Amino acid sequence: MKKLLLGLGLIAAAAIPPATTPSWAQDAPIVVHLKNHKFTPSVIKVKANKPSMIILHNDDPGADEFDSPSLKIERVVPGRSKANIRVRALAPGRYSFMGEFNAATAQGVVIAE
């Protein structure tokens, strides 16, 4: 009887779906470098209606701020460090961003398709 109950318990446990992983963690993150006050790549393509993750490497010696009113993101990244930037699910479209401390040169766009 114990073996039967144990077997039924294992079957029931197998039927329970595993905890879901956040969408942004399922796709490979997008790696972006900020060097000489410019983003590379400066055009980032993401899947529309799905969260994503940008790993921003600030290769410059000074801090800069990843800033985008349309993405609703402001994130200061110290010099010679990196930061994970979570991007919410976006409707199809273009969303500009900049390095606020060097806005004349640090420009980019996220394209959700």
Side-chain angles (χ1 to χ4, degrees):
M1 185 67 168
K2 287 184 181 180
K3 287 183 180 179
L4 177 61
L5 291 175
L6 179 59
L8 290 173
L10 290 174
I11 291 170
I16 298 171
T20 57
T21 303
S23 303
W24 57 264
Q26 292 177 352
D27 291 333
I30 301 150
V31 177
V32 176
H33 287 266
L34 179 62
K35 187 172 184 174
N36 298 322
H37 311 301
K38 294 181 181 177
F39 291 105
T40 304
S42 61
V43 177
I44 301 169
K45 293 188 177 180
V46 299
K47 293 178 184 173
N49 303 308
K50 187 172 184 186
S52 55
M53 174 75 75
I54 296 171
I55 299 176
L56 177 60
H57 294 262
N58 182 356
D59 298 327
D60 287 333
D64 209 333
E65 181 175 5
F66 182 96
D67 184 40
S68 174
S70 61
L71 292 171
K72 299 178 182 161
I73 297 172
E74 290 184 50
R75 179 76 185 267
V76 175
V77 182
R80 308 237 189 269
S81 65
K82 67 180 181 177
N84 294 337
I85 299 171
R86 293 183 180 160
V87 180
R88 72 184 193 293
L90 301 170
R94 296 173 62 89
Y95 304 83
S96 62
F97 62 89
M98 67 178 167
E100 187 168 333
F101 301 164
N102 298 284
T105 56
Q107 297 283 325
V109 65
V110 173
I111 301 172
E113 342 182 273

